[in-house]
Amino acid sequence: QLNIASADFKVFAGHKEVGLFRTEGMYADRVPKMSDVVRSLKSSLLRAAGLTIRLFDPDDDKVRPEDAEKFAGKRGMGFLLETEAGSSIAREQIRALLIAVDRLATEGRVDLEKKEIRILLPMLITAEQSAELRKRFNAIEAELLADKTIHCVRGEKIEFGAMIETASAVMNLEEITEESTSFSIGANDLTRDLLAISDRRLLMTGQRYDWLSPKVLRAIERIIDVAKEKKIKVSCCGEISRDPMGAILLTLMGIDALSMDASYIPDINYVLSHLHFDEWKKFARKDEDGKSKVEKALAK
Ligand code: PEP
Ligand code: MG
């Protein structure tokens, strides 16, 4: 799946699912007009086979330092639910999405039975946050319907996915599944939180590969295990997905989808299509001495 930061993305054969639309780019220079947001979302919905849109998350690598005050030091759901600026952005984004979906479905250009549309809730920590957003989402849809901006209630076709990207969320996974139908592992922020790394640019520019640290991998394994147990989808949209070693480990752990910038897809596809699980199992099988080849190699 693709990570994108604007509606101007290229879809290429076989990779038509957008696993993460980072919407912050739309707000980089100024607050966009509602009609522009609707247009961007319509164009993305038309071209992507499935679209996952992340609600605005004011991280310091995505917003201008001069705007920092507006965000009151908050991130993700904390910002979107607890601040005036955040509530207003969440409202605009939800309105724009509902309008875009309604227009395309009414014109018969998008089949909501076939196309998965998901809102990602950034930095989600509790099930209540997700329930509160659903409440606001439903109220916005009712308003749009009442003033005839939209024709039909279609909001129930839009899934809510929880971004698991803090240690706190990892401790609350079971509770979070009560209100979310999928997990998306935000391994960049998760790595930063678990390893107390202050400057995330080090991670994003590939100067450090801390996402392969055992502490991070153990947390990711737990997230995948809980998702499997609760029978919900789990994907990963952090940089670990485009790291060949990370992609192999996550695939072995049972991840359902990896999402990354388009430029990494050919290499990761190459790596994953050459995984021979059945052959690999032989190395894990125990020899007569009760130890597997892998164990013996690691003991050296
Ligand atoms: C992440 O934290 O891993 C993630 C995908 O979100 P972003 O990098 O945009 O914070
Ligand atoms: Mg993040």
Side-chain angles (χ1 to χ4, degrees):
Q1 297 184 340
L2 288 169
N3 282 357
I4 60 170
S6 84
D8 178 27
F9 63 94
K10 297 217 169 26
V11 158
F12 52 99
H15 302 292
K16 297 181 179 154
E17 299 250 347
V18 171
L20 171 66
F21 186 168
R22 290 183 164 107
T23 54
E24 298 78 15
M26 292 190 206
Y27 296 76
D29 304 321
R30 65 196 156 79
V31 175
K33 281 196 272 174
M34 174 64 76
S35 54
D36 292 337
V37 183
V38 173
R39 194 168 327 115
S40 290
L41 293 178
K42 272 173 77 177
S43 126
S44 307
L45 280 164
L46 279 172
R47 283 180 305 129
L51 186 67
T52 299
I53 302 147
R54 197 256 307 280
L55 293 180
F56 190 94
D57 180 15
D59 197 354
D60 47 16
D61 69 345
K62 298 186 187 72
V63 297
R64 295 178 307 179
E66 58 266 38
D67 289 334
E69 221 171 277
K70 273 198 260 172
F71 306 121
K74 304 222 177 195
R75 291 274 316 265
M77 295 303 281
F79 169 67
L80 298 165
L81 297 176
E82 294 161 21
T83 70
E84 218 174 286
S87 302
S88 132
I89 292 185
R91 184 178 154 78
E92 270 171 38
Q93 294 194 309
I94 292 169
R95 273 178 71 90
L97 178 63
L98 286 167
I99 294 172
V101 168
D102 184 70
R103 297 272 191 285
L104 295 177
T106 306
E107 291 161 14
R109 297 165 77 195
V110 158
D111 181 350
L112 296 178
E113 298 306 323
K114 298 217 179 100
K115 196 169 296 227
E116 271 187 27
I117 305 173
R118 180 175 299 118
I119 293 186
L120 271 191
L121 312 190
M123 292 271 162
L124 184 86
I125 293 172
T126 64
E128 286 94 67
Q129 288 179 323
S130 183
E132 173 62 25
L133 193 85
R134 183 55 90 174
K135 210 167 92 193
R136 295 190 191 185
F137 179 99
N138 291 343
I140 294 169
E141 187 167 39
E143 273 171 34
L144 289 172
L145 203 60
D147 68 18
K148 300 199 169 41
T149 307
I150 60 173
H151 301 86
C152 237
V153 173
R154 308 185 200 269
E156 72 266 18
K157 293 272 188 272
I158 299 174
E159 271 187 62
F160 276 31
M163 276 196 89
I164 307 298
E165 45 186 351
T166 59
S168 172
V170 174
M171 291 168 80
N172 259 341
L173 290 171
E174 282 84 359
E175 181 206 303
I176 291 172
T177 59
E178 290 163 21
E179 294 288 340
S180 301
T181 47
S182 63
F183 286 157
S184 178
I185 305 173
N188 304 332
D189 279 307
L190 184 60
T191 301
R192 181 163 74 162
D193 198 24
L194 289 173
L195 304 184
I197 295 169
S198 62
D199 188 348
R200 99 183 218 126
R201 278 164 299 196
L202 294 173
L203 286 176
M204 302 303 285
T205 53
Q207 291 175 61
R208 297 181 54 159
Y209 297 93
D210 307 74
W211 50 69
L212 295 177
S213 134
K215 290 185 184 59
V216 178
L217 294 175
R218 265 201 297 274
I220 291 180
E221 188 181 28
R222 179 165 142 64
I223 301 167
I224 297 175
D225 286 350
V226 171
K228 298 281 161 201
E229 188 192 313
K230 300 284 182 182
K231 299 191 170 46
I232 65 171
K233 278 198 193 148
V234 55
S235 59
C236 178
C237 54
E239 300 302 301
I240 188 174
S241 299
R242 55 87 169 163
D243 177 322
M245 192 64 85
I248 292 174
L249 290 170
L250 264 61
T251 304
L252 292 172
M253 287 180 200
I255 198 95
D256 296 315
L258 299 170
S259 195
M260 66 201 76
D261 291 357
S263 58
Y264 295 108
I265 289 184
D267 282 354
I268 297 300
N269 253 349
Y270 176 84
V271 168
L272 296 183
S273 61
H274 286 79
L275 285 183
H276 296 291
F277 288 107
D278 291 342
E279 288 296 315
W280 287 18
K281 275 192 214 145
K282 288 188 200 149
F283 300 114
R285 202 172 295 145
K286 305 219 182 292
D287 285 343
E288 275 118 51
D289 60 5
K291 295 214 167 87
S292 71
K293 290 194 174 51
V294 177
E295 278 172 283
K296 283 188 265 192
L298 290 174
K300 274 186 200 157

PDB file of all heavy atoms in Angstrom, residues 28 48 79 87 96 114 141 166 170 250 298:
ATOM      1  N   ALA A  28      -0.251  23.023   4.957  1.00  0.00           N
ATOM      2  CA  ALA A  28       1.122  23.486   5.160  1.00  0.00           C
ATOM      3  C   ALA A  28       1.256  25.008   5.053  1.00  0.00           C
ATOM      4  O   ALA A  28       1.934  25.629   5.866  1.00  0.00           O
ATOM      5  CB  ALA A  28       2.056  22.791   4.180  1.00  0.00           C
ATOM      6  N   ALA A  48      -7.773   5.712  -5.984  1.00  0.00           N
ATOM      7  CA  ALA A  48      -7.283   4.644  -5.110  1.00  0.00           C
ATOM      8  C   ALA A  48      -8.321   3.526  -5.010  1.00  0.00           C
ATOM      9  O   ALA A  48      -9.522   3.798  -4.962  1.00  0.00           O
ATOM     10  CB  ALA A  48      -7.004   5.218  -3.727  1.00  0.00           C
ATOM     11  N   PHE A  79      -5.198  16.650  20.277  1.00  0.00           N
ATOM     12  CA  PHE A  79      -5.385  17.937  19.597  1.00  0.00           C
ATOM     13  C   PHE A  79      -6.786  18.023  18.979  1.00  0.00           C
ATOM     14  O   PHE A  79      -7.505  19.007  19.154  1.00  0.00           O
ATOM     15  CB  PHE A  79      -4.304  18.086  18.519  1.00  0.00           C
ATOM     16  CG  PHE A  79      -4.529  19.232  17.587  1.00  0.00           C
ATOM     17  CD1 PHE A  79      -4.462  20.542  18.038  1.00  0.00           C
ATOM     18  CD2 PHE A  79      -4.820  19.009  16.243  1.00  0.00           C
ATOM     19  CE1 PHE A  79      -4.684  21.613  17.179  1.00  0.00           C
ATOM     20  CE2 PHE A  79      -5.039  20.072  15.371  1.00  0.00           C
ATOM     21  CZ  PHE A  79      -4.975  21.374  15.845  1.00  0.00           C
ATOM     22  N   SER A  87     -10.579  20.729  17.031  1.00  0.00           N
ATOM     23  CA  SER A  87     -11.975  20.324  16.797  1.00  0.00           C
ATOM     24  C   SER A  87     -12.443  20.893  15.473  1.00  0.00           C
ATOM     25  O   SER A  87     -13.181  20.241  14.723  1.00  0.00           O
ATOM     26  CB  SER A  87     -12.895  20.849  17.891  1.00  0.00           C
ATOM     27  OG  SER A  87     -12.461  20.373  19.123  1.00  0.00           O
ATOM     28  N   ALA A  96     -15.667  17.340   4.743  1.00  0.00           N
ATOM     29  CA  ALA A  96     -15.167  17.207   3.373  1.00  0.00           C
ATOM     30  C   ALA A  96     -15.247  15.747   2.914  1.00  0.00           C
ATOM     31  O   ALA A  96     -15.645  15.461   1.777  1.00  0.00           O
ATOM     32  CB  ALA A  96     -13.726  17.713   3.286  1.00  0.00           C
ATOM     33  N   LYS A 114     -17.529  -1.917  -2.588  1.00  0.00           N
ATOM     34  CA  LYS A 114     -16.252  -2.473  -3.065  1.00  0.00           C
ATOM     35  C   LYS A 114     -15.033  -1.700  -2.560  1.00  0.00           C
ATOM     36  O   LYS A 114     -13.943  -2.239  -2.472  1.00  0.00           O
ATOM     37  CB  LYS A 114     -16.233  -2.453  -4.594  1.00  0.00           C
ATOM     38  CG  LYS A 114     -17.323  -3.295  -5.214  1.00  0.00           C
ATOM     39  CD  LYS A 114     -16.819  -3.994  -6.482  1.00  0.00           C
ATOM     40  CE  LYS A 114     -17.886  -4.866  -7.101  1.00  0.00           C
ATOM     41  NZ  LYS A 114     -18.540  -4.220  -8.242  1.00  0.00           N
ATOM     42  N   GLU A 141     -22.675  14.360  10.134  1.00  0.00           N
ATOM     43  CA  GLU A 141     -23.429  13.769   9.018  1.00  0.00           C
ATOM     44  C   GLU A 141     -24.912  14.154   9.104  1.00  0.00           C
ATOM     45  O   GLU A 141     -25.537  14.490   8.087  1.00  0.00           O
ATOM     46  CB  GLU A 141     -23.264  12.250   9.004  1.00  0.00           C
ATOM     47  CG  GLU A 141     -23.893  11.652   7.759  1.00  0.00           C
ATOM     48  CD  GLU A 141     -23.509  10.204   7.518  1.00  0.00           C
ATOM     49  OE1 GLU A 141     -23.425   9.436   8.491  1.00  0.00           O
ATOM     50  OE2 GLU A 141     -23.309   9.838   6.339  1.00  0.00           O
ATOM     51  N   THR A 166       1.859   4.879  20.361  1.00  0.00           N
ATOM     52  CA  THR A 166       2.422   5.291  21.656  1.00  0.00           C
ATOM     53  C   THR A 166       2.471   4.065  22.569  1.00  0.00           C
ATOM     54  O   THR A 166       1.709   3.109  22.383  1.00  0.00           O
ATOM     55  CB  THR A 166       1.521   6.330  22.364  1.00  0.00           C
ATOM     56  OG1 THR A 166       0.231   5.739  22.548  1.00  0.00           O
ATOM     57  CG2 THR A 166       1.384   7.612  21.568  1.00  0.00           C
ATOM     58  N   VAL A 170      -0.275   0.853  23.334  1.00  0.00           N
ATOM     59  CA  VAL A 170       0.092  -0.572  23.382  1.00  0.00           C
ATOM     60  C   VAL A 170      -0.432  -1.199  24.685  1.00  0.00           C
ATOM     61  O   VAL A 170      -0.828  -2.354  24.717  1.00  0.00           O
ATOM     62  CB  VAL A 170       1.628  -0.756  23.242  1.00  0.00           C
ATOM     63  CG1 VAL A 170       2.027  -2.210  23.431  1.00  0.00           C
ATOM     64  CG2 VAL A 170       2.100  -0.250  21.882  1.00  0.00           C
ATOM     65  N   LEU A 250       7.975  -8.206   9.957  1.00  0.00           N
ATOM     66  CA  LEU A 250       6.532  -7.945  10.126  1.00  0.00           C
ATOM     67  C   LEU A 250       5.695  -8.984   9.372  1.00  0.00           C
ATOM     68  O   LEU A 250       4.646  -9.419   9.858  1.00  0.00           O
ATOM     69  CB  LEU A 250       6.186  -6.526   9.647  1.00  0.00           C
ATOM     70  CG  LEU A 250       6.147  -5.467  10.742  1.00  0.00           C
ATOM     71  CD1 LEU A 250       7.475  -5.308  11.451  1.00  0.00           C
ATOM     72  CD2 LEU A 250       5.684  -4.135  10.202  1.00  0.00           C
ATOM     73  N   LEU A 298      22.828 -18.942  16.133  1.00  0.00           N
ATOM     74  CA  LEU A 298      22.777 -17.789  17.043  1.00  0.00           C
ATOM     75  C   LEU A 298      23.690 -17.981  18.258  1.00  0.00           C
ATOM     76  O   LEU A 298      24.162 -17.013  18.843  1.00  0.00           O
ATOM     77  CB  LEU A 298      21.338 -17.535  17.509  1.00  0.00           C
ATOM     78  CG  LEU A 298      20.389 -17.003  16.429  1.00  0.00           C
ATOM     79  CD1 LEU A 298      18.964 -16.933  16.954  1.00  0.00           C
ATOM     80  CD2 LEU A 298      20.815 -15.616  15.936  1.00  0.00           C
TER      81      LEU A 298
END
